[in-house]
Structure formats: C-alpha cells, structure tokens
Amino acid sequence: CPALLQMSGSQPQVGRGGPCLRCRGLCTGFEPHSWRKICKSCKCSQEEHGLSSELDDDRKIGRLLSDSKYSSLTARLKGGDGARIYKRNRMIVTNPNISGKDPTFDTITYEWAPPGLTQKLAMQYMELVPKELQPVAGTEGAFHRRRRLARQLPLHDQDPAQCRGLAEGEQHLMEQFVKKYKAEALGVGEVALPGQGGGGKEEEKPQDKSVDPGRAPESANGALESAPAAGHYCCETCQQPVPGDCPVVYADRAGYSRQWHPACFVCCRCAEPLVDLIYFWKSGAAWCGRHYCESLRPRCAGCDEIIFSEDYQQVEGLAWHNKHFACLECETLLTGKPFALANASLLCTTCSQSRV
C-alpha cells in the first residue's frame, strides 16, 4: 500500500525527498519551494511526499505542551539543546494464539494510547474508536494519526523560526499569540469512566470561562438543558447516553460535567478526530489547532502561515500576505493585476490560459 510507505519517516525533509504519491510517479521527488509549504515541482503538499519522522513529531508536540499546564506530558532530552519531547504513551498488547498445537503469541503495538489508564480500560477506549483510525503500528490507522498530527498541529503555528511570512517586528506578535493560546485554550483530553473525570472531584476543576455558571449547559443547537441526573450521562456531541462502564473523554477546560464518546471528540470546524486528544477550547467547543488559530487570525493561502499584519490581500474569503499574492506557476506578483482563482490558488492570466 503506498500510504504505508509514508509511515517510515525515512524520507528526507530537505532537498529532493520521496516521490509524490498523489502524482503517481509524475513527480520524481520533493523539491521544496522557497516559501510555500508545497513541492516546487508538482505543487503538492509535503505530506504527499512523506511525513516527518516520529522523533520530529514528538519534538513538535513536546514544544507545544512545554510552558503549559500539560508540561508533565513532556520530558527534557538528555544531552540535547534543552528542548522538551513528548512522552507519547505507546501500548503493547500480547494475545495468545491457540489455533495450533503449540500456543504462540500475537503482539500488537499501538503507536499512541491514552496515558494513565489500565490496559483493560485503554483497550476499551480503543474498541470505541473506528477500526480504521486505531493507531496500530504498520496500519492505515497509524498513518492517519500522523497525517492528522501534521494537518491539525502545523509547526509553523507555534514556532516563529519555521515561518517565512513574518515581517520585521511580527515575531514578537506571534510569540505572544502562542503564549496566549497555551495559557487560555490549549488542552489535552482525559479518558476515564463516566463520573470519574478529574478524579471525580468536579467541584475543584476549572469551568469554561465562556459559560455562565449560573446557567444550565447548552445542547449542540444552543437550547438550554437541565443538568443530567446522578448516574446519567450524555455525550456532548451526539447527545446520546453514555453507558456507565464505557470510557469517555473529558476536557478540563470545558469542566468535568461534560463528556464525549471517544469517536465524538472531534474538531467543531472540520469534524476530524482530535489527534492524541489535543484540543483548543473556544466558545463552548473543542477545536483542532489549525482551525482554532484560523478563528483568531487569517491564514495565508499561499504559505499556510498565520498573518499577523493588518495589511493583507483578501479574495472570496481567502487571505494572502501581500508578498505572497502571486501566481502559483510563474510567481508574478498579482496586486493590481488581473488573475484567476482556481482551487484556492492564484494564476495570472497567461498561466491560467495555458492550463485550458
């Protein structure tokens, strides 16, 4: 399966990397663009050529969670540069295989599992996740987890050094932006049985500041609801009952009176499962990192970075840095010039006509 080749993390990230899977051999390898997050040759994203290594992924999440109240999920690398790395919880399950005369054992490795649980409860959680999304090593589920990680938590949303679109003086604005979302919105979901989130001490946990504590919680459509009776729990997303013996997800920034089925803990904008239960809380809902950042600042359709300038280009709901408002093919700046917009990409009139 071509997708499984991307999981190895062995593809180089600079220079000519792996061939593009989407182009099916038409692109011989990833050739980085000077400022776009795409291949200069085939115009596909770097994800189509090969994901970053697992170590780079763990470094990225470690950076995100460091300097936050979730820093306990990270560890300092020995002999490193002082950076912190994500203590990703892997789970290895060994099952006896008694189909033959001599019993053997099948070993299954989950590349991620909720931390702090018994293996029995962790396995119950996994069974409630769609099979195609279970992060079993060497499967499509593990690949899709890492693909969501790349999509939902782009490194250039947290590290100014990864940005090419920042103008002089904007690095400080981005640093403050990151510091603010770590303090006010970033969260990591907790898995527990219904009524046991936060150790069962609901009154000691912070509540979502955007919700009036004197009001009953709202349903998904905004209607007021009465609080559930003791021992009766409902999922925040689907509003269906939650059995008392099935694990649920809690988000401490939402308050521990709310819980989600494992398959229902998704971004309110894109409906994608929140990778490793990392969420951003805003307006009474959980967001993935990408769409949370976009809800606060525009994102450049050219370089995929957040725009911190107040002077930028806008067309049909999309935004561009002024210096990135350019033709996808020939790089001609298009400010004040005629252009065509195709699949969120700009084309000058010459390049647009050559595609016809």
XYZ file of all heavy atoms in Angstrom, residues 286-343:
463
model
N -14.648 22.360 21.262
C -13.263 21.948 21.053
C -12.892 22.135 19.586
O -13.658 21.794 18.690
C -13.084 20.488 21.466
N -11.706 22.680 19.353
C -11.194 22.922 18.011
C -9.858 22.211 17.847
O -9.124 22.025 18.816
C -10.942 24.415 17.773
C -12.105 25.329 17.962
C -12.808 25.568 19.119
C -12.705 26.181 16.975
N -13.795 26.492 18.909
C -13.756 26.895 17.596
C -12.439 26.404 15.623
C -14.548 27.813 16.911
C -13.233 27.330 14.939
C -14.272 28.017 15.574
N -9.499 21.846 16.618
C -8.121 21.425 16.364
C -7.257 22.680 16.314
O -7.768 23.801 16.173
C -8.018 20.628 15.063
S -8.246 21.581 13.536
N -5.948 22.504 16.416
C -5.062 23.658 16.460
C -5.143 24.520 15.225
O -5.151 25.753 15.300
N -5.195 23.885 14.052
C -5.251 24.645 12.800
C -6.457 25.569 12.758
O -6.339 26.769 12.486
C -5.282 23.682 11.606
C -5.600 24.340 10.269
C -5.493 23.359 9.117
N -4.113 23.008 8.871
C -3.280 23.707 8.099
N -3.709 24.806 7.492
N -2.043 23.318 7.916
N -7.631 25.032 13.034
C -8.838 25.841 12.886
C -9.048 26.806 14.050
O -9.672 27.851 13.878
C -10.044 24.939 12.663
C -10.026 24.269 11.334
N -9.958 22.902 11.177
C -9.997 24.793 10.076
C -9.926 22.620 9.889
N -9.936 23.733 9.209
N -8.484 26.475 15.220
C -8.521 27.447 16.315
C -7.725 28.692 15.928
O -8.211 29.824 16.076
C -7.955 26.847 17.594
C -7.790 27.875 18.695
C -8.872 28.277 19.463
C -6.547 28.457 18.938
C -8.731 29.237 20.447
C -6.393 29.420 19.917
C -7.488 29.810 20.670
O -7.333 30.769 21.639
N -6.511 28.501 15.429
C -5.680 29.642 15.046
C -6.352 30.459 13.949
O -6.338 31.698 13.975
C -4.292 29.176 14.606
S -3.262 28.531 15.950
N -6.965 29.776 12.990
C -7.646 30.480 11.905
C -8.874 31.239 12.382
O -9.308 32.188 11.725
C -8.058 29.477 10.824
C -6.900 28.900 10.040
C -7.349 27.872 9.018
O -8.578 27.738 8.793
O -6.473 27.193 8.445
N -9.448 30.828 13.510
C -10.615 31.546 14.039
C -10.219 32.879 14.673
O -11.078 33.729 14.908
C -11.345 30.670 15.067
O -10.636 30.617 16.296
N -8.920 33.060 14.935
C -8.436 34.283 15.568
C -7.723 35.212 14.589
O -7.828 36.435 14.707
C -7.473 33.943 16.713
C -8.034 33.069 17.840
C -6.944 32.771 18.862
C -9.217 33.751 18.512
N -6.990 34.627 13.648
C -6.230 35.401 12.677
C -6.388 34.751 11.307
O -6.589 33.549 11.208
C -4.737 35.427 13.031
C -4.375 36.048 14.362
C -4.595 37.542 14.393
N -4.004 38.225 13.245
C -4.161 39.524 13.017
N -4.879 40.270 13.848
N -3.612 40.084 11.955
N -6.293 35.534 10.215
C -6.365 34.919 8.881
C -5.130 34.068 8.603
O -4.054 34.300 9.158
C -6.435 36.128 7.941
C -5.839 37.258 8.717
C -6.173 37.007 10.158
N -5.281 33.082 7.753
C -4.171 32.222 7.331
C -3.884 32.483 5.855
O -4.805 32.526 5.044
C -4.526 30.746 7.538
C -3.348 29.789 7.227
C -3.732 28.335 7.411
N -4.068 28.005 8.776
C -3.185 27.740 9.733
N -1.888 27.778 9.453
N -3.574 27.454 10.957
N -2.611 32.636 5.528
C -2.221 32.907 4.152
C -2.451 31.666 3.283
O -1.941 30.589 3.586
C -0.754 33.332 4.097
S -0.132 33.639 2.421
N -3.215 31.826 2.213
C -3.478 30.710 1.298
C -2.252 30.386 0.457
O -2.218 29.348 -0.206
C -4.653 31.048 0.381
N -1.226 31.256 0.501
C -0.016 30.997 -0.250
C 1.000 30.189 0.531
O 1.483 29.161 0.065
N 1.311 30.634 1.763
C 2.368 29.960 2.546
C 1.814 29.139 3.700
O 2.579 28.459 4.392
C 3.365 30.988 3.078
S 2.708 32.086 4.368
N 0.510 29.200 3.968
C -0.166 28.430 5.012
C 0.149 28.940 6.419
O -0.187 28.296 7.399
C 0.169 26.939 4.920
C -0.827 26.069 5.678
O -2.042 26.247 5.485
O -0.400 25.226 6.495
N 0.765 30.108 6.537
C 1.090 30.641 7.854
C 0.050 31.657 8.310
O -0.652 32.265 7.499
C 2.487 31.293 7.819
C 3.598 30.304 7.526
C 4.936 30.968 7.246
O 5.074 32.183 7.533
O 5.846 30.288 6.741
N -0.028 31.847 9.622
C -0.934 32.844 10.189
C -0.429 34.240 9.828
O 0.775 34.510 9.875
C -1.021 32.681 11.720
C -1.566 31.298 12.068
C -1.899 33.757 12.331
C -2.953 31.020 11.549
N -1.341 35.131 9.480
C -0.994 36.501 9.105
C -1.134 37.405 10.332
O -2.211 37.478 10.934
C -1.902 37.005 7.965
C -1.743 36.117 6.723
C -1.585 38.459 7.626
C -2.701 36.463 5.590
N -0.054 38.094 10.681
C -0.081 38.993 11.837
C -0.129 40.462 11.430
O -0.351 41.335 12.263
C 1.120 38.723 12.743
C 1.016 37.405 13.459
C 1.589 36.257 12.927
C 0.298 37.296 14.634
C 1.467 35.034 13.578
C 0.154 36.079 15.281
C 0.747 34.946 14.752
N 0.049 40.735 10.160
C -0.092 42.100 9.664
C -1.570 42.429 9.484
O -2.387 41.536 9.238
C 0.638 42.241 8.322
O 0.334 43.481 7.719
N -1.916 43.718 9.606
C -3.285 44.146 9.339
C -3.461 44.534 7.879
O -4.553 44.879 7.451
C -3.654 45.323 10.244
C -3.620 44.997 11.732
C -4.516 43.810 12.099
O -5.596 43.672 11.482
O -4.135 43.035 12.986
N -2.374 44.488 7.116
C -2.399 44.847 5.701
C -2.139 43.584 4.887
O -1.015 43.112 4.794
C -1.328 45.901 5.410
C -1.346 46.353 3.949
O -2.373 46.138 3.278
O -0.315 46.889 3.486
N -3.200 43.026 4.317
C -3.078 41.795 3.540
C -4.162 41.768 2.469
O -5.085 42.591 2.473
C -3.162 40.563 4.441
C -4.433 40.459 5.273
C -5.553 39.786 4.792
C -4.510 41.035 6.543
C -6.716 39.687 5.545
C -5.665 40.947 7.299
C -6.767 40.272 6.806
O -7.914 40.182 7.552
N -4.052 40.821 1.562
C -4.995 40.705 0.456
C -6.111 39.725 0.799
O -5.860 38.698 1.451
C -4.267 40.232 -0.813
C -3.149 41.132 -1.275
C -3.646 42.451 -1.823
O -4.737 42.530 -2.396
N -2.862 43.492 -1.631
N -7.319 40.012 0.362
C -8.455 39.117 0.576
C -9.227 38.938 -0.725
O -9.520 39.915 -1.412
C -9.401 39.673 1.643
C -8.969 39.422 3.073
C -10.034 39.841 4.066
O -10.380 41.016 4.164
N -10.565 38.880 4.789
N -9.546 37.678 -1.036
C -10.356 37.368 -2.213
C -11.239 36.179 -1.878
O -10.744 35.121 -1.480
C -9.484 37.028 -3.446
C -10.380 36.657 -4.634
C -8.566 38.183 -3.812
N -12.543 36.358 -2.010
C -13.520 35.277 -1.831
C -13.292 34.501 -0.535
O -13.259 33.267 -0.521
C -13.485 34.324 -3.038
C -13.921 34.986 -4.331
C -13.999 34.013 -5.491
O -13.904 32.786 -5.244
O -14.164 34.456 -6.634
N -13.092 35.222 0.557
C -12.955 34.588 1.867
C -11.576 34.043 2.162
O -11.345 33.511 3.250
N -10.650 34.142 1.230
C -9.278 33.702 1.431
C -8.375 34.907 1.653
O -8.707 36.027 1.260
C -8.779 32.898 0.227
C -9.561 31.617 -0.093
C -9.067 31.013 -1.399
C -9.439 30.607 1.036
N -7.218 34.667 2.287
C -6.299 35.755 2.608
C -4.887 35.402 2.151
O -4.520 34.223 2.068
C -6.321 36.026 4.115
N -4.096 36.443 1.872
C -2.698 36.274 1.471
C -1.853 37.394 2.077
O -2.311 38.548 2.168
C -2.536 36.368 -0.051
C -2.997 35.206 -0.845
C -2.256 34.164 -1.327
C -4.342 34.948 -1.307
N -3.036 33.285 -2.038
C -4.321 33.742 -2.046
C -5.555 35.631 -1.158
C -5.450 33.201 -2.634
C -6.695 35.098 -1.733
C -6.640 33.890 -2.462
N -0.630 37.061 2.501
C 0.349 38.115 2.723
C 0.488 38.898 1.414
O 0.417 38.306 0.325
C 1.723 37.530 3.073
C 1.797 36.869 4.414
N 1.844 35.498 4.573
C 1.861 37.404 5.668
C 1.924 35.199 5.856
N 1.939 36.328 6.544
N 0.728 40.189 1.505
C 0.905 40.980 0.279
C 2.006 40.405 -0.604
O 1.868 40.323 -1.828
C 1.220 42.438 0.627
C 0.006 43.175 1.175
O -1.133 42.852 0.825
N 0.232 44.155 2.028
N 3.117 39.979 0.010
C 4.242 39.476 -0.774
C 4.010 38.071 -1.315
O 4.804 37.578 -2.116
C 5.518 39.495 0.063
C 5.464 38.640 1.323
C 6.732 38.820 2.140
C 6.687 38.048 3.449
N 7.912 38.267 4.267
N 2.915 37.410 -0.859
C 2.608 36.063 -1.335
C 1.386 36.043 -2.256
O 0.919 34.968 -2.634
C 2.384 35.118 -0.153
C 3.612 34.897 0.665
N 3.579 34.440 1.964
C 4.928 35.087 0.364
C 4.807 34.349 2.430
N 5.647 34.728 1.477
N 0.885 37.225 -2.596
C -0.255 37.316 -3.510
C 0.297 37.195 -4.929
O 0.424 38.178 -5.665
C -0.985 38.640 -3.301
C -2.352 38.697 -3.935
C -3.405 37.952 -3.422
C -2.582 39.497 -5.042
C -4.672 38.017 -4.000
C -3.838 39.570 -5.632
C -4.878 38.822 -5.103
N 0.664 35.947 -5.278
C 1.416 35.725 -6.509
C 0.898 34.510 -7.258
O 0.251 33.623 -6.687
C 2.900 35.527 -6.181
N 1.202 34.449 -8.543
C 0.796 33.332 -9.396
C 1.452 32.041 -8.922
O 2.658 32.009 -8.637
C 1.188 33.627 -10.841
S 0.849 32.269 -11.984
N 0.686 30.989 -8.856
C 1.203 29.701 -8.413
C 2.281 29.170 -9.353
O 3.228 28.518 -8.915
C 0.050 28.689 -8.336
C 0.412 27.252 -7.963
C 0.899 27.180 -6.516
C -0.784 26.322 -8.157
N 2.178 29.466 -10.634
C 3.093 28.898 -11.622
C 4.340 29.751 -11.846
O 5.463 29.275 -11.710
C 2.356 28.696 -12.959
C 1.166 27.750 -12.889
C 1.579 26.308 -12.635
O 2.775 25.997 -12.786
O 0.706 25.496 -12.292
N 4.162 31.028 -12.151
C 5.313 31.855 -12.537
C 5.766 32.807 -11.439
O 6.764 33.517 -11.618
C 5.006 32.629 -13.814
S 3.727 33.902 -13.600
N 5.039 32.860 -10.320
C 5.403 33.668 -9.148
C 5.270 35.173 -9.376
O 5.731 35.974 -8.559
C 6.831 33.358 -8.673
C 7.049 31.912 -8.265
C 6.251 31.524 -7.033
O 6.066 32.376 -6.147
O 5.812 30.375 -6.958
N 4.628 35.598 -10.461
C 4.407 37.022 -10.694
C 3.478 37.591 -9.625
O 2.424 37.016 -9.352
C 3.786 37.248 -12.084
O 4.670 36.746 -13.078
C 3.502 38.727 -12.327
N 3.882 38.703 -8.995
C 3.005 39.349 -8.022
C 1.772 39.877 -8.736
O 1.860 40.465 -9.825
C 3.739 40.491 -7.314
C 4.793 40.067 -6.289
C 5.531 41.280 -5.740
C 4.147 39.294 -5.143
N 0.598 39.698 -8.120
C -0.667 39.979 -8.806
C -1.434 41.154 -8.234
O -2.553 41.422 -8.665
C -1.548 38.719 -8.770
C -0.974 37.511 -9.513
C -1.840 36.278 -9.269
C -0.857 37.797 -11.008
N -0.875 41.857 -7.263
C -1.556 43.018 -6.704
C -1.813 44.037 -7.807
O -0.889 44.481 -8.502
C -0.709 43.667 -5.598
O -0.426 42.684 -4.600
C -1.457 44.828 -4.956
N -3.086 44.397 -7.995
C -3.460 45.367 -9.019
C -3.494 44.815 -10.425
O -3.671 45.576 -11.385
N -3.319 43.495 -10.569
C -3.321 42.873 -11.888
C -4.462 41.882 -12.005
O -4.945 41.355 -10.996
C -1.989 42.157 -12.142
C -0.766 43.060 -12.108
C 0.506 42.248 -12.325
C 1.737 43.137 -12.273
N 2.992 42.366 -12.469
N -4.913 41.582 -13.214
C -5.968 40.568 -13.374
C -5.429 39.184 -13.025
O -4.258 38.880 -13.239
C -6.334 40.662 -14.858
C -5.128 41.244 -15.511
C -4.515 42.174 -14.504
N -6.305 38.344 -12.474
C -5.881 36.993 -12.086
C -7.096 36.075 -12.077
O -8.246 36.522 -12.140
C -5.230 37.006 -10.696
C -6.140 37.476 -9.592
C -6.996 36.596 -8.928
C -6.154 38.808 -9.226
C -7.834 37.025 -7.926
C -7.003 39.261 -8.221
C -7.840 38.368 -7.566
N -6.814 34.784 -11.991
C -7.867 33.771 -11.829
C -7.615 33.032 -10.528
O -6.465 32.882 -10.097
C -7.844 32.798 -13.002
N -8.684 32.580 -9.883
C -8.583 31.820 -8.642
C -9.086 30.407 -8.918
O -10.248 30.211 -9.274
C -9.403 32.482 -7.535
C -9.333 31.853 -6.145
C -7.910 31.950 -5.600
C -10.310 32.539 -5.198
N -8.187 29.419 -8.773
C -8.553 28.021 -9.041
C -8.097 27.153 -7.882
O -6.898 27.081 -7.591
C -7.902 27.546 -10.342
N -9.070 26.512 -7.205
C -8.760 25.633 -6.072
C -7.895 26.341 -5.028
O -6.883 25.820 -4.561
C -8.055 24.357 -6.551
C -8.928 23.527 -7.453
O -10.135 23.418 -7.246
N -8.323 22.944 -8.487
